[in-house]
Amino acid sequence: QVQLVESGGGLVQAGGSLRLSCAASGSLFSINVMGWYRQAPGKQRELVAAITSGGSTNYADSVKGRFTISSDNAKNTVYLQMNSLKPEDTAVYYCNAGVVLVTSPHEYDYWGQGTQVTVSS
């Protein structure tokens, strides 16, 4: 019904930058919130940043001042600009969206397939 397609992961040296993108498509009526989560080996998945349709943002303390989340509502796309990357940022990054479908008034949660971000020291 709804697909989230991520791009932009890769390998970067510490101090470098990467930009992740996630585009939503399918039978969606509206998107209430989009965000990025990450999961490192042996650790739980954690919220990195989120943005509402109104533009309100929320960041994990560990990325504040380094990462910036933004969105293009017309394109149903969310971006994560990651600067000053650290080895501890290494993880699989997942896009998440709270979506209202054309067929239902309720909000449903969707996930992307994940994109690997590796930061070398």
Side-chain angles (χ1 to χ4, degrees):
Q1 291 172 319
V2 174
Q3 297 79 39
L4 301 181
V5 179
E6 301 142 336
S7 61
L11 173 64
V12 66
Q13 288 188 332
S17 299
L18 283 174
R19 189 189 194 214
L20 305 182
S21 300
C22 172
S25 63
S27 302
L28 60 90
F29 177 74
S30 64
I31 300 176
N32 292 335
V33 60
M34 294 188 80
W36 292 94
Y37 288 71
R38 68 186 180 187
Q39 188 167 20
K43 294 187 177 182
Q44 288 189 329
R45 190 173 296 188
E46 63 175 359
L47 173 69
V48 177
I51 186 168
T52 68
S53 58
S56 297
T57 58
N58 183 38
Y59 294 93
D61 288 343
S62 60
V63 307
K64 284 181 180 177
R66 300 188 297 121
F67 291 9
T68 302
I69 191 169
S70 61
S71 63
D72 184 334
N73 292 340
K75 295 182 178 180
N76 293 328
T77 299
V78 65
Y79 307 95
L80 186 67
Q81 179 65 44
M82 304 185 293
N83 299 328
S84 303
L85 282 160
K86 303 175 181 180
E88 50 263 44
D89 294 317
T90 295
V92 177
Y93 283 69
Y94 296 91
C95 178
N96 172 263
V99 175
V100 177
L101 303 177
V102 296
T103 55
S104 169
H106 304 293
E107 181 177 308
Y108 294 89
D109 210 31
Y110 289 91
W111 292 90
Q113 78 283 1
T115 185
Q116 177 70 45
V117 171
T118 303
V119 184
S120 63
S121 57

